[in-house]
Amino acid sequence: EDQAAAELDARGRQGAAARRAHDDARDRYLEGLIDLTTMLQTLTALQNAELSLLQSQRTAISARIALHDALGGAWTRTEVTR
């Protein structure tokens, strides 16, 4: 859990940095200071960072489910009839 939380935090910071870089590149592109290819490269980096964050979230959720299963937890709720 601690390792997954640390990874999620790192991926979140990575995504925030990629977002800032893309926003800056987009603004510079609109001002005519950089070309379209450079701006699109920052968009690709942003999308890759977001994908990494989602994959880390998926890994953390899968680990929590595996722990729950290992501890003997049931996934179905049984209804009590009276």
Side-chain angles (χ1 to χ4, degrees), residues 7-8 11-12 48-58:
E7 184 176 339
L8 285 172
R11 299 288 184 198
N48 287 336
E50 289 174 341
L51 180 61
S52 291
L53 176 61
L54 289 172
Q55 289 171 336
S56 293
Q57 289 172 336
R58 180 176 153 202

Side-chain angles (χ1 to χ4, degrees), residues 10-23:
R11 299 288 184 198
R13 287 191 314 255
Q14 180 184 21
R19 167 64 63 193
R20 287 189 303 273
H22 174 65
D23 289 345

Side-chain angles (χ1 to χ4, degrees), residues 10-80:
R11 299 288 184 198
R13 287 191 314 255
Q14 180 184 21
R19 167 64 63 193
R20 287 189 303 273
H22 174 65
D23 289 345
D24 182 51
R26 186 189 62 233
D27 293 343
R28 293 179 68 194
Y29 170 73
L30 292 174
E31 293 172 6
L33 299 175
I34 62 172
D35 61 2
L36 179 62
T37 303
T38 303
M39 194 270 298
L40 291 176
Q41 287 172 341
T42 63
L43 177 60
T44 300
L46 172 59
Q47 290 172 336
N48 287 336
E50 289 174 341
L51 180 61
S52 291
L53 176 61
L54 289 172
Q55 289 171 336
S56 293
Q57 289 172 336
R58 180 176 153 202
T59 299
I61 290 169
S62 294
R64 185 168 289 177
I65 290 170
L67 175 62
H68 184 77
D69 282 343
L71 294 174
W75 284 104
T76 58
R77 217 164 77 178
T78 57
E79 293 188 30
V80 178

